[in-house]
Amino acid sequence: MIIKKFTLSFLLLIFMNFSASALELKIPKIGGKKADISGAKLNFTKIFFDSSLSYMEAQYHLFNALEMNDEASKTKKSIAFVKDTKNKEGKRLTNAFNTSSENSKAIEGALVKEKSLSAEGKVHYAKSLPFAVKGLIGMVKLPPEANSLLTIIKTDKMAALKMGDFLKVLPKIPNYVSSATKVGNLIVTGAKSREVEGADDATKALGDL
């Protein structure tokens, strides 16, 4: 009887230890999954906001150069909204994405018309070039980061529910970058044809982008 009790107690102790060990093994996996989402999100948002804000600054100066005052005013307000971290991150994301995309179309249309610039316009245009270069160099890093974050979100239903704005933007990032790069190169060539100061430096900085 004593042997049976001892055997039963020993087996129960082994089972409890095994269960505790199994539980401990599972915890890092859950924590690791959350860390992956957090890390991927941080990588994407840092590059996205830094590059988009620079590009929007360039667009703001270009609208001033092209005397598109309404567009310049709207862009300035969007920049302030996106910079304000008190606003929801998802709303800042979609605002920057939509504003930058719409502005690119407007600027492309204006530059293609070969509009001449006043002396003041050339000053505004010159101000846009460093921002355009910085924004574009950052933007080309976005597609792999966007794809990585999108893949992780799709495997986590809770994250997908909380990150609806991200899910709207992430699949569109490749086209977003392609369009921005196209217009960015047009901005630089436009600066050169209009004899804007800093055009050669901007061309060298962008290289084969």
Side-chain angles (χ1 to χ4, degrees):
M1 179 66 73
I2 295 173
I3 294 173
K4 284 184 179 181
K5 285 184 178 179
F6 176 79
T7 302
L8 184 61
S9 298
F10 181 71
L11 289 174
L12 184 60
L13 183 63
I14 291 175
F15 177 74
M16 289 173 68
N17 286 336
F18 177 78
S19 298
S21 298
L23 184 60
E24 288 175 2
L25 287 171
K26 289 179 182 178
I27 291 173
K29 290 182 181 179
I30 296 171
K33 190 175 182 181
K34 288 181 180 178
D36 286 344
I37 294 173
S38 177
K41 183 184 174 187
L42 182 63
N43 290 341
F44 171 76
T45 53
K46 178 171 175 49
I47 297 172
F48 177 83
F49 285 124
D50 285 350
S51 61
S52 294
L53 279 168
S54 291
Y55 197 56
M56 288 165 71
E57 289 280 1
Q59 293 172 332
Y60 167 70
H61 290 299
L62 279 167
F63 283 138
N64 283 327
L66 298 165
E67 297 180 6
M68 300 170 71
N69 299 326
D70 288 343
E71 288 82 355
S73 179
K74 289 176 183 177
T75 302
K76 189 175 182 179
K77 289 178 182 177
S78 287
I79 290 171
F81 181 87
V82 175
K83 281 183 175 180
D84 189 351
T85 54
K86 291 180 182 178
N87 295 319
K88 290 184 178 179
E89 190 173 48
K91 298 303 177 185
R92 292 167 56 222
L93 179 81
T94 53
N95 187 299
F97 180 86
N98 292 331
T99 299
S100 183
S101 298
E102 291 168 9
N103 285 351
S104 284
K105 292 177 183 177
I107 288 169
E108 181 179 15
L111 291 177
V112 168
K113 292 177 182 178
E114 290 297 330
K115 187 173 182 179
S116 60
L117 296 174
S118 63
E120 185 181 353
K122 287 185 179 182
V123 172
H124 285 297
Y125 205 127
K127 287 180 180 179
S128 77
L129 295 177
F131 289 110
V133 169
K134 183 182 177 183
L136 290 168
I137 289 175
M139 278 185 183
V140 296
K141 301 174 186 176
L142 280 174
E145 298 295 343
N147 183 60
S148 176
L149 179 56
L150 182 61
T151 300
I152 294 172
I153 292 174
K154 284 182 176 178
T155 64
D156 190 323
K157 291 181 180 179
M158 288 301 294
L161 289 172
K162 294 177 181 178
M163 300 175 69
D165 289 322
F166 280 80
L167 287 173
K168 293 175 185 176
V169 170
L170 291 173
K172 300 175 183 177
I173 287 296
N175 287 335
Y176 172 74
V177 173
S178 177
S179 175
T181 303
K182 176 187 172 184
V183 177
N185 282 310
L186 186 61
I187 290 169
V188 173
T189 56
K192 217 168 184 180
S193 66
R194 292 168 175 80
E195 299 180 344
V196 173
E197 186 178 348
D200 289 337
D201 290 337
T203 301
K204 290 177 184 177
L206 288 181
D208 298 325
L209 195 66

